PDB file of all heavy atoms in Angstrom:
ATOM      1  N   GLY A  18     -18.424   4.942  -3.546  1.00  0.00           N
ATOM      2  CA  GLY A  18     -17.410   4.004  -3.093  1.00  0.00           C
ATOM      3  C   GLY A  18     -17.675   3.497  -1.686  1.00  0.00           C
ATOM      4  O   GLY A  18     -17.603   2.299  -1.412  1.00  0.00           O
ATOM      5  N   ARG A  19     -18.003   4.422  -0.792  1.00  0.00           N
ATOM      6  CA  ARG A  19     -18.314   4.033   0.596  1.00  0.00           C
ATOM      7  C   ARG A  19     -19.535   3.120   0.634  1.00  0.00           C
ATOM      8  O   ARG A  19     -19.573   2.149   1.396  1.00  0.00           O
ATOM      9  CB  ARG A  19     -18.533   5.268   1.466  1.00  0.00           C
ATOM     10  CG  ARG A  19     -17.257   6.044   1.759  1.00  0.00           C
ATOM     11  CD  ARG A  19     -17.455   7.115   2.830  1.00  0.00           C
ATOM     12  NE  ARG A  19     -18.609   7.970   2.607  1.00  0.00           N
ATOM     13  CZ  ARG A  19     -18.601   9.102   1.905  1.00  0.00           C
ATOM     14  NH1 ARG A  19     -17.480   9.507   1.333  1.00  0.00           N
ATOM     15  NH2 ARG A  19     -19.700   9.822   1.781  1.00  0.00           N
ATOM     16  N   TYR A  20     -20.523   3.428  -0.195  1.00  0.00           N
ATOM     17  CA  TYR A  20     -21.727   2.596  -0.260  1.00  0.00           C
ATOM     18  C   TYR A  20     -21.384   1.179  -0.713  1.00  0.00           C
ATOM     19  O   TYR A  20     -21.818   0.196  -0.097  1.00  0.00           O
ATOM     20  CB  TYR A  20     -22.757   3.228  -1.202  1.00  0.00           C
ATOM     21  CG  TYR A  20     -23.917   2.320  -1.504  1.00  0.00           C
ATOM     22  CD1 TYR A  20     -24.961   2.181  -0.597  1.00  0.00           C
ATOM     23  CD2 TYR A  20     -23.970   1.595  -2.690  1.00  0.00           C
ATOM     24  CE1 TYR A  20     -26.033   1.332  -0.860  1.00  0.00           C
ATOM     25  CE2 TYR A  20     -25.029   0.747  -2.957  1.00  0.00           C
ATOM     26  CZ  TYR A  20     -26.056   0.622  -2.048  1.00  0.00           C
ATOM     27  OH  TYR A  20     -27.099  -0.224  -2.318  1.00  0.00           O
ATOM     28  N   LEU A  21     -20.605   1.071  -1.794  1.00  0.00           N
ATOM     29  CA  LEU A  21     -20.270  -0.253  -2.325  1.00  0.00           C
ATOM     30  C   LEU A  21     -19.430  -1.064  -1.345  1.00  0.00           C
ATOM     31  O   LEU A  21     -19.643  -2.267  -1.185  1.00  0.00           O
ATOM     32  CB  LEU A  21     -19.561  -0.126  -3.673  1.00  0.00           C
ATOM     33  CG  LEU A  21     -20.430   0.379  -4.820  1.00  0.00           C
ATOM     34  CD1 LEU A  21     -19.594   0.576  -6.081  1.00  0.00           C
ATOM     35  CD2 LEU A  21     -21.584  -0.571  -5.083  1.00  0.00           C
ATOM     36  N   ILE A  22     -18.497  -0.414  -0.698  1.00  0.00           N
ATOM     37  CA  ILE A  22     -17.668  -1.112   0.293  1.00  0.00           C
ATOM     38  C   ILE A  22     -18.532  -1.569   1.471  1.00  0.00           C
ATOM     39  O   ILE A  22     -18.397  -2.709   1.937  1.00  0.00           O
ATOM     40  CB  ILE A  22     -16.505  -0.213   0.761  1.00  0.00           C
ATOM     41  CG1 ILE A  22     -15.517  -0.002  -0.395  1.00  0.00           C
ATOM     42  CG2 ILE A  22     -15.804  -0.816   1.975  1.00  0.00           C
ATOM     43  CD1 ILE A  22     -14.525   1.111  -0.166  1.00  0.00           C
ATOM     44  N   ALA A  23     -19.421  -0.708   1.916  1.00  0.00           N
ATOM     45  CA  ALA A  23     -20.324  -1.086   3.015  1.00  0.00           C
ATOM     46  C   ALA A  23     -21.214  -2.250   2.611  1.00  0.00           C
ATOM     47  O   ALA A  23     -21.438  -3.168   3.401  1.00  0.00           O
ATOM     48  CB  ALA A  23     -21.172   0.114   3.450  1.00  0.00           C
ATOM     49  N   ARG A  24     -21.728  -2.217   1.386  1.00  0.00           N
ATOM     50  CA  ARG A  24     -22.567  -3.316   0.896  1.00  0.00           C
ATOM     51  C   ARG A  24     -21.774  -4.620   0.847  1.00  0.00           C
ATOM     52  O   ARG A  24     -22.293  -5.680   1.222  1.00  0.00           O
ATOM     53  CB  ARG A  24     -23.127  -2.989  -0.490  1.00  0.00           C
ATOM     54  CG  ARG A  24     -24.181  -1.908  -0.521  1.00  0.00           C
ATOM     55  CD  ARG A  24     -25.464  -2.368   0.059  1.00  0.00           C
ATOM     56  NE  ARG A  24     -25.850  -3.602  -0.626  1.00  0.00           N
ATOM     57  CZ  ARG A  24     -26.976  -4.249  -0.426  1.00  0.00           C
ATOM     58  NH1 ARG A  24     -27.838  -3.805   0.430  1.00  0.00           N
ATOM     59  NH2 ARG A  24     -27.245  -5.365  -1.069  1.00  0.00           N
ATOM     60  N   ALA A  25     -20.532  -4.561   0.369  1.00  0.00           N
ATOM     61  CA  ALA A  25     -19.705  -5.762   0.301  1.00  0.00           C
ATOM     62  C   ALA A  25     -19.467  -6.319   1.701  1.00  0.00           C
ATOM     63  O   ALA A  25     -19.562  -7.530   1.924  1.00  0.00           O
ATOM     64  CB  ALA A  25     -18.373  -5.452  -0.395  1.00  0.00           C
ATOM     65  N   LYS A  26     -19.179  -5.440   2.661  1.00  0.00           N
ATOM     66  CA  LYS A  26     -18.956  -5.887   4.038  1.00  0.00           C
ATOM     67  C   LYS A  26     -20.227  -6.481   4.643  1.00  0.00           C
ATOM     68  O   LYS A  26     -20.172  -7.507   5.324  1.00  0.00           O
ATOM     69  CB  LYS A  26     -18.455  -4.724   4.897  1.00  0.00           C
ATOM     70  CG  LYS A  26     -17.026  -4.337   4.578  1.00  0.00           C
ATOM     71  CD  LYS A  26     -16.558  -3.170   5.430  1.00  0.00           C
ATOM     72  CE  LYS A  26     -15.121  -2.820   5.104  1.00  0.00           C
ATOM     73  NZ  LYS A  26     -14.623  -1.687   5.903  1.00  0.00           N
ATOM     74  N   ASP A  27     -21.362  -5.830   4.388  1.00  0.00           N
ATOM     75  CA  ASP A  27     -22.638  -6.350   4.891  1.00  0.00           C
ATOM     76  C   ASP A  27     -22.964  -7.707   4.277  1.00  0.00           C
ATOM     77  O   ASP A  27     -23.403  -8.624   4.975  1.00  0.00           O
ATOM     78  CB  ASP A  27     -23.784  -5.375   4.599  1.00  0.00           C
ATOM     79  CG  ASP A  27     -23.737  -4.121   5.451  1.00  0.00           C
ATOM     80  OD1 ASP A  27     -23.004  -4.105   6.462  1.00  0.00           O
ATOM     81  OD2 ASP A  27     -24.438  -3.152   5.088  1.00  0.00           O
ATOM     82  N   GLU A  28     -22.751  -7.814   2.971  1.00  0.00           N
ATOM     83  CA  GLU A  28     -23.030  -9.080   2.278  1.00  0.00           C
ATOM     84  C   GLU A  28     -22.145 -10.197   2.826  1.00  0.00           C
ATOM     85  O   GLU A  28     -22.605 -11.309   3.055  1.00  0.00           O
ATOM     86  CB  GLU A  28     -22.796  -8.902   0.773  1.00  0.00           C
ATOM     87  CG  GLU A  28     -23.238 -10.091  -0.050  1.00  0.00           C
ATOM     88  CD  GLU A  28     -23.146  -9.797  -1.527  1.00  0.00           C
ATOM     89  OE1 GLU A  28     -24.139  -9.308  -2.094  1.00  0.00           O
ATOM     90  OE2 GLU A  28     -22.077 -10.076  -2.118  1.00  0.00           O
ATOM     91  N   GLU A  29     -20.875  -9.876   3.061  1.00  0.00           N
ATOM     92  CA  GLU A  29     -19.958 -10.859   3.630  1.00  0.00           C
ATOM     93  C   GLU A  29     -20.427 -11.297   5.019  1.00  0.00           C
ATOM     94  O   GLU A  29     -20.483 -12.494   5.317  1.00  0.00           O
ATOM     95  CB  GLU A  29     -18.549 -10.273   3.713  1.00  0.00           C
ATOM     96  CG  GLU A  29     -17.542 -11.197   4.358  1.00  0.00           C
ATOM     97  CD  GLU A  29     -16.182 -10.563   4.552  1.00  0.00           C
ATOM     98  OE1 GLU A  29     -15.965  -9.418   4.138  1.00  0.00           O
ATOM     99  OE2 GLU A  29     -15.329 -11.249   5.130  1.00  0.00           O
ATOM    100  N   ALA A  30     -20.784 -10.333   5.862  1.00  0.00           N
ATOM    101  CA  ALA A  30     -21.212 -10.649   7.225  1.00  0.00           C
ATOM    102  C   ALA A  30     -22.486 -11.493   7.225  1.00  0.00           C
ATOM    103  O   ALA A  30     -22.591 -12.465   7.978  1.00  0.00           O
ATOM    104  CB  ALA A  30     -21.437  -9.358   8.012  1.00  0.00           C
ATOM    105  N   GLN A  31     -23.438 -11.138   6.379  1.00  0.00           N
ATOM    106  CA  GLN A  31     -24.686 -11.905   6.301  1.00  0.00           C
ATOM    107  C   GLN A  31     -24.432 -13.328   5.806  1.00  0.00           C
ATOM    108  O   GLN A  31     -25.018 -14.284   6.321  1.00  0.00           O
ATOM    109  CB  GLN A  31     -25.684 -11.194   5.391  1.00  0.00           C
ATOM    110  CG  GLN A  31     -26.233  -9.917   5.976  1.00  0.00           C
ATOM    111  CD  GLN A  31     -27.096  -9.141   4.997  1.00  0.00           C
ATOM    112  OE1 GLN A  31     -27.414  -9.617   3.918  1.00  0.00           O
ATOM    113  NE2 GLN A  31     -27.467  -7.933   5.376  1.00  0.00           N
ATOM    114  N   ALA A  32     -23.562 -13.466   4.816  1.00  0.00           N
ATOM    115  CA  ALA A  32     -23.259 -14.793   4.287  1.00  0.00           C
ATOM    116  C   ALA A  32     -22.536 -15.639   5.324  1.00  0.00           C
ATOM    117  O   ALA A  32     -22.817 -16.837   5.461  1.00  0.00           O
ATOM    118  CB  ALA A  32     -22.436 -14.677   3.005  1.00  0.00           C
ATOM    119  N   LEU A  33     -21.619 -15.028   6.071  1.00  0.00           N
ATOM    120  CA  LEU A  33     -20.907 -15.772   7.112  1.00  0.00           C
ATOM    121  C   LEU A  33     -21.869 -16.220   8.215  1.00  0.00           C
ATOM    122  O   LEU A  33     -21.760 -17.343   8.721  1.00  0.00           O
ATOM    123  CB  LEU A  33     -19.780 -14.921   7.701  1.00  0.00           C
ATOM    124  CG  LEU A  33     -18.552 -14.753   6.814  1.00  0.00           C
ATOM    125  CD1 LEU A  33     -17.612 -13.703   7.392  1.00  0.00           C
ATOM    126  CD2 LEU A  33     -17.827 -16.082   6.624  1.00  0.00           C
TER     127      LEU A  33
END
Side-chain angles (χ1 to χ4, degrees):
R19 289 191 311 271
Y20 170 80
L21 291 175
I22 292 166
R24 289 288 307 184
K26 288 179 179 180
D27 288 345
E28 188 173 270
E29 177 185 357
Q31 290 173 8
L33 286 170

